[in-house]
Amino acid sequence: MKLTIVIVNYNVEFFLEHCLHSVRKALKGIESEVIVVDNNSVDGSVKMVREKFPEIRLIENKKNVGFSVANNQAIRQAQGEYILLQNPDTVVEEDTFQKVLQFMDTHPEAGGLGVKMLDGKGKFLPESKRGLPTPLVAFYKVFGFSMLFPRSRLFGRYHLGFLDNDQIHSVAVLSGAFMLLRKTTLEKTGLLDESFFMYGEDIDISYRITQAGYKNYYFPQARIIHYKGESTKKSSINYVFVFYQAMIIFAQKHFSQNRAKLFSTLIHMAIYIRASLALIRRFAENFALPLLDTGTILAGLFFIKNYYEKNVRFAAVTGSYPEHLVSIAFLSYLVIWLSSIYMNGGYDKPVRVSRLTRGILIGTATILIIYSLLPETYRFSRALILFGTAWALVATTGIRFLLHLLNIKQYRLNANQNKRVLIVGNPEECERVHQLLKETSIKTTFVGYISPEENVERIKSKTNQLINARTVGNINQLQDYVEIYSIDEIIFCAKDVSSHLTINLMLQLGKANVDYKIAPPESLSVIGSNSIDTSGDLYTIDINSITKPGNRRVKRMFDLSTSLLAFLLSPLILLFIHNPRGFLKNTMSVISGKKSWIGYQDSVLSPSEILGKKLNKETAERINLLYTKDYQLENDFKIFFKGFKKLGNMRS
């Protein structure tokens, strides 16, 4: 057998589906096998592979064993002369495998090979070719010299920016996203080092290949799209620690004691720097806007109070509002307004002024109701409440308009505006994708179909005049349509448009400010990515998923309110709980956000608890999937009370 492809998957069902479609096309005429190793996904990946790709060998792990262990499981079973380690968030061209195999066959000194990787916008990914992270190279990267001087032979050695992206080069390190290895080489070097859970294993195996006397090649004549999915959220603190810890393992394994110590010192510095930046970034993303609102609203309230006090309320007589009463009242108003804004989605992105306005008005109504129930001695001014409401509306709206004018991406007010979309493919498939878009939350003002054929009339539908009306041009006119109609997004139908053509068109339109998506055949998803710093974008049918910001917010409020109530009533509740000690631990874990009361993972009770009986694994997984895809708050209450006695369970 010529080739074995190994793909390790963890909860990226739709990306995996698209990847496997492209792999299936590219393997035509090649004696090969594909092995998918699933690390205990709960998103339906396993079922999808079984149903849509029955020819694929599937290894189902009962837990997430990590990237290295999972790859080694498949490598030990591999029959191919060459073994390709490929990420599930990649798309290959139709001739990718033919090209890379031909190169390896004619270069016996090659132990490993990587290809030219592009992100979802057609931009070159610098990690396609890398140098060995020696202490000096690490120093230049940690302190930003490699970013400032990417093409320097001195400072740019991490990503080898001084090497031509379009020329074949011998390089030190290959990317684990697409790493073609000669099986005989692996027999000499050994398999992936399983002490690396995630990250670093590609550097380690690349180094061992060169130490065994082979070369690693960067081969740009073959190209892939790498969406850089869930595993590459580089702003997360977890990524910082896992990635840099992998670097320390590598240094201790391969460098001399003195060099390893120096490297470790640099890496620990990098951890503190990157972790601090990640914390600052996360704080800014989550709390900057509420803090701006807090300061602006409070300042305005005290200004209004002072003006109203001096010029209206106590203009004729000497007097003032009680300071302690004012402070308590204003802080209470602020808490109610901010909580109401949050609950109404006023801090969700993209920013919507309507949600903000609704939150403030509902907050004001709440304040007035509470005000009317207070004793007379604690009521001091309805006017200040109303003036404060007006100021809160003006101030918070003004802040968002200012952030919008400053062109800060996450605060753009038109970020969710209606999109102008072109769909590239044959009419019937374009129509299928168009109907899929209608069932998602994506809003469009213009949708036109672009034929991959030059002769549009030849492929127009004979029966559907509406489809024909939407077919506006052919592939040679794509750039003109993008410019003339100010297109925001292009969707390529993978059934009709080859990966090779898709990548070429993305490169040709590289300077256009357009987003790209790809619609796999017979799939309910449309996949893309807008930058290398974000996980892949995904359009699916608009179901009430638990991952929606509103549902996550409601679920968090459920967890907090039930936890606080349970904590207050704990002397009574502990009499009925099976494991009182576990209950107290769970309560604190839920309050801190480490766990949820109800869920399929990191939770106390599973959705299957509602049935009150032990279920087989497959049935339990179906219930878990249904719970996550169609979240309802009432189900949380039902499961909570149904499994009340088990609230002390210590589930992992």
Side-chain angles (χ1 to χ4, degrees):
M1 184 175 290
K2 193 69 174 176
L3 176 65
T4 297
I5 298 176
V6 178
I7 300 173
V8 176
N9 176 72
Y10 180 65
N11 287 329
V12 285
E13 175 191 352
F14 294 108
F15 290 93
L16 175 64
E17 179 185 0
H18 189 20
C19 173
L20 293 177
H21 275 298
S22 72
V23 166
R24 180 187 273 169
K25 282 185 179 181
L27 282 176
K28 287 182 179 178
I30 299 173
E31 187 183 4
S32 60
E33 62 179 351
V34 180
I35 304 175
V36 171
V37 186
D38 185 81
N39 269 338
N40 199 30
S41 298
V42 295
D43 65 345
S45 296
V46 169
K47 182 181 179 184
M48 181 275 295
V49 172
R50 282 202 189 112
E51 292 180 352
K52 296 190 175 183
F53 303 93
E55 75 276 15
I56 286 175
R57 197 189 315 173
L58 184 63
I59 298 175
E60 296 179 61
N61 289 326
K62 303 306 179 185
K63 63 178 182 178
N64 186 356
V65 297
F67 186 78
S68 295
V69 172
N71 271 298
N72 286 346
Q73 286 177 278
I75 292 172
R76 291 187 183 99
Q77 299 180 22
Q79 302 297 314
E81 177 186 348
Y82 297 102
I83 297 172
L84 173 65
L85 308 184
Q86 182 178 345
N87 274 15
D89 56 350
T90 57
V91 178
V92 298
E93 292 183 284
E94 287 73 14
D95 59 357
T96 292
F97 301 143
Q98 291 177 356
K99 285 181 176 179
V100 297
L101 291 173
Q102 183 180 10
F103 181 87
M104 293 292 280
D105 283 343
T106 55
H107 291 77
E109 79 282 5
L113 177 143
V115 297
K116 185 176 185 178
M117 298 191 296
L118 309 173
D119 71 2
K121 293 208 74 167
K123 295 179 181 178
F124 176 74
L125 289 173
E127 57 265 37
S128 300
K129 48 182 172 62
R130 286 181 291 171
L132 192 67
T134 62
L136 192 58
V137 171
F139 176 83
Y140 294 147
K141 185 178 190 309
V142 167
F143 290 96
F145 291 101
S146 60
M147 183 177 66
L148 292 173
F149 309 103
R151 297 188 182 277
S152 167
R153 287 188 175 272
L154 176 62
F155 300 123
R157 282 187 279 169
Y158 187 83
H159 284 131
L160 304 177
F162 51 87
L163 297 180
D164 191 328
N165 295 340
D166 296 316
Q167 296 295 321
I168 298 171
H169 300 287
S170 174
V171 296
V173 176
L174 304 172
S175 169
F178 187 102
M179 183 184 290
L180 182 64
L181 304 170
R182 198 182 298 272
K183 191 173 185 181
T184 53
T185 304
L186 286 175
E187 290 170 356
K188 291 182 180 180
T189 63
L191 304 186
L192 300 184
D193 187 336
E194 296 182 0
S195 60
F196 296 92
F197 182 81
M198 183 186 295
Y199 310 119
E201 69 290 316
D202 50 359
I203 299 176
D204 177 72
I205 191 67
S206 296
Y207 182 70
R208 285 190 280 131
I209 288 172
T210 58
Q211 291 300 102
Y214 293 93
K215 288 185 177 181
N216 294 315
Y217 279 100
Y218 164 67
F219 183 68
Q221 293 175 15
R223 306 169 301 182
I224 68 168
I225 297 173
H226 183 203
Y227 289 118
K228 297 177 70 69
E230 296 301 319
S231 64
T232 54
K233 295 179 179 177
K234 294 190 176 182
S235 62
S236 73
I237 297 172
N238 182 60
Y239 167 83
V240 172
F241 282 101
V242 173
F243 178 78
Y244 286 110
Q245 185 60 41
M247 295 298 96
I248 292 173
I249 295 172
F250 175 80
Q252 291 172 341
K253 180 177 178 181
H254 295 294
F255 294 163
S256 65
Q257 186 174 354
N258 289 336
R259 294 183 76 200
K261 188 175 181 181
L262 174 60
F263 191 93
S264 180
T265 301
L266 287 171
I267 292 301
H268 278 102
M269 289 175 62
I271 289 175
Y272 291 125
I273 293 170
R274 291 292 298 271
S276 298
L277 290 174
L279 282 171
I280 292 169
R281 180 174 178 177
R282 179 171 291 186
F283 180 84
E285 288 177 350
N286 294 330
F287 299 106
L289 199 53
L291 286 175
L292 276 173
D293 289 344
T294 298
T296 309
I297 292 173
L298 269 182
L301 284 174
F302 279 104
F303 176 83
I304 293 169
K305 188 269 296 183
N306 291 335
Y307 181 87
Y308 189 79
E309 188 178 60
K310 292 177 181 178
N311 297 282
V312 181
R313 180 67 178 83
F314 298 103
V317 295
T318 302
S320 64
Y321 293 116
E323 287 297 328
H324 68 283
L325 194 59
V326 170
S327 299
I328 293 172
F330 282 1
L331 287 174
S332 300
Y333 299 166
L334 186 66
V335 169
I336 293 172
W337 276 326
L338 294 181
S339 299
S340 184
I341 292 171
Y342 172 76
M343 290 301 296
N344 283 276
Y347 291 118
D348 290 350
K349 296 180 180 60
V351 173
R352 291 186 184 175
V353 175
S354 59
R355 295 172 179 169
L356 174 72
T357 303
R358 184 172 67 235
I360 292 174
L361 293 178
I362 291 175
T364 299
T366 305
I367 292 169
L368 289 172
I369 291 171
I370 295 173
Y371 181 90
S372 66
L373 298 174
L374 290 174
E376 191 66 35
T377 53
Y378 291 101
R379 302 182 198 171
F380 66 95
S381 178
R382 283 192 183 89
L384 288 183
I385 296 174
L386 298 177
F387 286 134
T389 300
W391 167 248
L393 287 168
V394 171
T396 54
T397 303
I399 288 171
R400 284 148 182 81
F401 274 109
L402 177 61
L403 293 172
H404 171 75
L405 292 174
L406 292 173
N407 204 29
I408 300 176
K409 185 175 181 180
Q410 59 266 39
Y411 299 117
R412 288 177 188 164
L413 295 176
N414 60 349
N416 202 31
Q417 64 183 353
N418 292 348
K419 294 185 176 183
R420 301 178 67 78
V421 178
L422 286 177
I423 305 176
V424 183
N426 288 329
E428 286 73 17
E429 183 67 1
C430 287
E431 182 66 11
R432 184 189 74 81
V433 174
H434 187 192
Q435 294 304 317
L436 175 62
L437 286 182
K438 287 181 178 179
E439 295 181 48
T440 71
S441 57
I442 307 305
K443 299 177 182 178
T444 59
T445 55
F446 171 82
V447 175
Y449 303 161
I450 296 290
S451 167
E453 304 279 348
E454 291 187 19
N455 188 345
V456 176
E457 295 302 323
R458 189 173 66 82
I459 54 90
K460 280 191 174 183
S461 172
K462 296 180 180 179
T463 58
N464 196 317
Q465 296 303 314
L466 179 60
I467 294 178
N468 289 341
R470 291 194 179 120
T471 305
V472 295
N474 65 46
I475 201 75
N476 295 329
Q477 301 167 308
L478 181 60
Q479 188 160 359
D480 292 335
Y481 273 96
V482 168
E483 294 172 358
I484 294 170
Y485 291 96
S486 301
I487 297 301
D488 300 302
E489 187 168 284
I490 299 173
I491 300 175
F492 298 100
C493 299
K495 181 178 180 180
D496 308 316
V497 185
S498 69
S499 299
H500 179 79
L501 180 58
T502 297
I503 290 175
N504 282 342
L505 291 170
M506 289 166 62
L507 291 171
Q508 289 173 17
L509 296 169
K511 294 183 179 179
N513 188 25
V514 180
D515 293 332
Y516 304 103
K517 300 282 188 297
I518 301 177
E522 302 175 4
S523 175
L524 297 178
S525 66
V526 178
I527 296 169
S529 183
N530 294 332
S531 81
I532 65 170
D533 297 317
T534 60
S535 60
D537 300 319
L538 179 66
Y539 298 163
T540 55
I541 291 179
D542 193 23
I543 53 181
N544 195 37
S545 168
I546 197 171
T547 59
K548 285 187 173 182
N551 285 340
R552 288 204 306 267
R553 188 166 50 245
V554 168
K555 186 166 181 59
R556 183 61 183 148
M557 292 302 294
F558 167 83
D559 281 339
L560 283 175
S561 58
T562 50
S563 297
L564 292 173
L565 183 62
F567 191 75
L568 291 173
L569 299 176
S570 57
L572 179 62
I573 292 175
L574 291 175
L575 298 174
F576 301 95
I577 300 294
H578 290 327
N579 182 2
R581 194 176 207 178
F583 167 73
L584 293 175
K585 285 184 178 180
N586 285 336
T587 302
M588 298 310 297
S589 294
V590 172
I591 290 174
S592 66
K594 293 179 180 178
K595 284 185 177 181
S596 174
W597 283 121
I598 318 296
Y600 58 88
Q601 59 185 7
D602 297 326
S603 61
V604 179
L605 299 175
S606 69
S608 57
E609 299 281 350
I610 196 172
L611 297 179
K613 58 183 178 180
K614 190 172 180 66
L615 305 171
N616 62 50
K617 185 175 183 293
E618 187 176 348
T619 303
E621 284 182 353
R622 283 204 303 269
I623 293 173
N624 287 340
L625 192 60
L626 180 62
Y627 171 83
T628 58
K629 286 189 172 182
D630 188 21
Y631 175 73
Q632 303 293 335
L633 178 61
E634 63 185 85
N635 288 337
D636 276 355
F637 279 105
K638 288 179 182 177
I639 297 168
F640 185 85
F641 289 111
K642 191 83 173 179
F644 184 75
K645 293 182 179 180
K646 301 177 182 178
L647 292 178
N649 285 1
M650 300 302 293
R651 291 176 68 219
S652 56

